[in-house]
Amino acid sequence: MTSGVSLDQANRAWEFTGTINSAATLTLDLYDMVGFDLGAGSGLDILGQALANEEIVAIAISNENADGEAGTLEIIPNASNGWSPIGSHTAATGGGLLAQGVFFKAQPAENGFDITDASSHKIDLTANGGNIIYKVAILARHDDDESSSSSSQSSSSSSSSSSSSSSQS
């Protein structure tokens, strides 16, 4: 993977670790990460640049709980403006993540997994049966049209080991 907005390329990287209290749901806005502060402000990468992801190249979500620790991490599209490429992964369907479980999906093709702000950009992470320590890592493209970004190539890498406690619903 190299830096760019075409085949086998990404120009945005974002990682966040936090806690979701039992029975709580955390909504993640994949387009601009509003509500998540890696140190430079809500929705900004660690360099202070605004995030605006138009395509996901790869996404990894993990349940960081210790092996054998209670709690299932459920992943579904949000009921309002849900990002459908994520699919539904719940305890009830056997698809939720137990301790040390990892969900990974990648589309390095020129047409990655599309994100549309205000219509298809949110996922819900729910802690079922216990508190969950989670990690989300994303490789994305800020632009899905190579010709429009060729004169203003932008590259940013964001990563964090921050922890936060969340009981959003």
Side-chain angles (χ1 to χ4, degrees):
M1 192 81 49
T2 60
S3 182
V5 297
S6 194
L7 174 69
D8 293 330
Q9 296 179 333
N11 62 356
R12 293 286 186 259
W14 187 89
E15 179 183 41
F16 195 83
T17 299
T19 300
I20 305 170
N21 295 326
S22 185
T25 296
L26 173 73
T27 299
L28 184 60
D29 183 333
L30 299 174
Y31 181 77
D32 55 18
M33 304 303 182
V34 168
F36 291 87
D37 187 347
L38 299 177
S42 175
L44 302 176
D45 66 18
I46 61 170
L47 301 174
Q49 296 177 330
L51 289 169
N53 299 320
E54 291 189 16
E55 291 179 339
I56 296 288
V57 176
I59 184 168
I61 302 171
S62 60
N63 179 338
E64 297 288 305
N65 287 4
D67 192 29
E69 196 172 341
T72 301
L73 178 60
E74 299 182 327
I75 307 163
I76 63 169
N78 181 267
S80 170
N81 302 316
W83 188 61
S84 57
I86 199 75
S88 291
H89 311 278
T90 65
T93 63
L97 300 178
L98 300 174
Q100 299 296 298
V102 177
F103 170 87
F104 179 77
K105 192 167 192 171
Q107 184 66 283
E110 188 164 342
N111 294 326
F113 296 116
D114 226 16
I115 297 174
T116 306
D117 193 25
S119 67
S120 177
H121 61 112
K122 293 181 182 180
I123 62 172
D124 287 341
L125 305 179
T126 301
N128 183 333
N131 295 345
I132 300 290
I133 299 169
Y134 70 93
K135 182 182 282 185
V136 176
I138 296 171
L139 288 177
R141 297 179 185 131
H142 81 285
D143 193 344
D144 56 11
D145 184 5
E146 188 171 16
S147 63
S148 69
S149 66
S150 59
S151 63
S152 62
Q153 276 283 11
S154 171
S155 180
S156 166
S157 178
S158 302
S159 108
S160 172
S161 296
S162 301
S163 289
S164 70
S165 181
S166 175
S167 57
Q168 298 175 353
S169 49

